[in-house]
Amino acid sequence: MVLGKKSLYAWSLGSYAKKIINDKGGQKALVAHVFDNTIYLRMNNDELILISTYPWRSPFTISLAGIDYDGFSFKSIVSPLQKAVLLTDEIMIDELSIDIGEARVYSGLGKPTSSHVDNNYLGHKLRLLLYTAGIIAGGLRDTSTSYLHSRICGYLNSDGLLSDNAMDSLIGLGEGFTPSGDDIYVGLSSAITYTYSYVDEKRDVASSYLSRIKEGISARLNQTTWASGMYLKYALSGLYDETLEKVLYDFYYGDIQDFYSSVVHLLRRGYESGCYLALGVLLGLLSIYNSFKLHWTNKLCSLLIG
């Protein structure tokens, strides 16, 4: 439902976005990027708030309700470099007003109350993720960034993706708004932080990777764009959108059909981003479950580089 020519309302308000607004209410943010379905707001301290008409939520996203998608585009009403004023119940960008007063706060999926991990099916789920993400990524090898796949496999078969050499080479590598190398590390970081936060029996293993990846990525954020860097930074803090978190939630706590549906949903994101996010999740989980790593890394690379 559109309340007026340039008046919209939000149905979901991310908990982290709400915290930023409450902390900085009345202050101005910069419209850094505008696309048909998204507005990227850059706060004075570089933090990101995303305004979106897509149906998936995140802790840093304001999701709008009832948009008439026939011909709708933020580009027709908002321009980059405009100022946004953030109030506790409203966001104003020039003549656009977004009512956030009645939006439901979204903090993430977390884990179910009955949080038992059925280890009997984890191998089947990893195999499913490997083949779906690997086959689709393999189909992109001729159109994706040159050397991306060979570099990934080179590091997987040597000192790993968490090495300084790998992060130097892959962070910021790729075309587009979020480089494919960054998407891989967002997925990988999300798998590690989710496991650390919500899977008690694997917390120690995840912890052994967490400080290393936080230090490595944080030191290399200047290799990529502001927005992509913020996705990396948020993933390291356990903040990720619903489609990505649902894959991890269903890997540990859902049945195989739920997991497959979540993977397919993620793979449909964008032209390449969903594929490389899923690939990153796979690589993060293979790090956690090291017993699967050697054989399946070789199989993955046969799909990625032929």
Side-chain angles (χ1 to χ4, degrees), residues 8 30 34 37 59 67 211 218 232 285 299:
L8 306 172
L30 182 71
V34 182
N37 299 100
I67 300 295
S211 60
S218 297
L232 285 164
L285 292 173
K299 184 60 183 176

Side-chain angles (χ1 to χ4, degrees), residues 224-243:
T224 191
T225 64
W226 162 74
S228 194
M230 286 307 305
Y231 281 124
L232 285 164
K233 186 175 180 179
Y234 282 166
L236 291 170
S237 301
L239 304 173
Y240 14 75
D241 73 49
E242 196 171 14
T243 55

Side-chain angles (χ1 to χ4, degrees), residues 108-280:
L109 298 173
K111 67 178 181 180
T113 303
S114 176
S115 55
H116 172 70
V117 177
D118 189 344
N119 292 291
N120 293 323
Y121 290 99
L122 296 186
H124 296 293
K125 291 177 180 178
L126 279 171
R127 187 178 296 110
L128 186 156
L129 181 57
L130 183 149
Y131 279 100
T132 52
I135 289 171
I136 292 174
L140 296 172
R141 62 176 169 261
D142 294 328
T143 59
S144 189
T145 303
S146 299
Y147 310 119
L148 175 64
H149 292 187
S150 59
R151 287 189 191 184
I152 291 169
C153 289
Y155 291 119
L156 285 175
N157 289 311
S158 57
D159 47 0
L161 289 188
L162 299 187
S163 67
D164 288 338
N165 287 336
M167 288 188 275
D168 282 341
S169 176
L170 294 175
I171 292 176
L173 179 65
E175 304 296 328
F177 189 65
T178 56
S180 298
D182 294 1
D183 289 334
I184 290 170
Y185 278 103
V186 168
L188 191 154
S189 301
S190 300
I192 291 173
T193 56
Y194 183 90
T195 302
Y196 175 80
S197 298
Y198 299 116
V199 185
D200 294 342
E201 54 264 49
K202 286 295 182 179
R203 178 166 292 133
D204 289 344
V205 178
S207 178
S208 67
Y209 293 109
L210 191 55
S211 60
R212 186 176 171 190
I213 195 171
K214 278 186 175 181
E215 181 179 352
I217 290 178
S218 297
R220 292 167 175 84
L221 292 177
N222 62 348
Q223 293 179 197
T224 191
T225 64
W226 162 74
S228 194
M230 286 307 305
Y231 281 124
L232 285 164
K233 186 175 180 179
Y234 282 166
L236 291 170
S237 301
L239 304 173
Y240 14 75
D241 73 49
E242 196 171 14
T243 55
L244 185 54
E245 188 175 7
K246 189 67 162 60
V247 170
L248 293 161
Y249 181 97
D250 286 335
F251 174 75
Y252 285 114
Y253 302 117
D255 61 31
I256 290 180
Q257 183 58 49
D258 289 337
F259 179 67
Y260 175 73
S261 297
S262 298
V263 170
V264 170
H265 194 192
L266 177 60
L267 289 169
R268 288 173 174 165
R269 288 269 301 275
Y271 177 62
E272 295 183 355
S273 286
C275 174
Y276 288 112
L277 287 168
L279 191 60

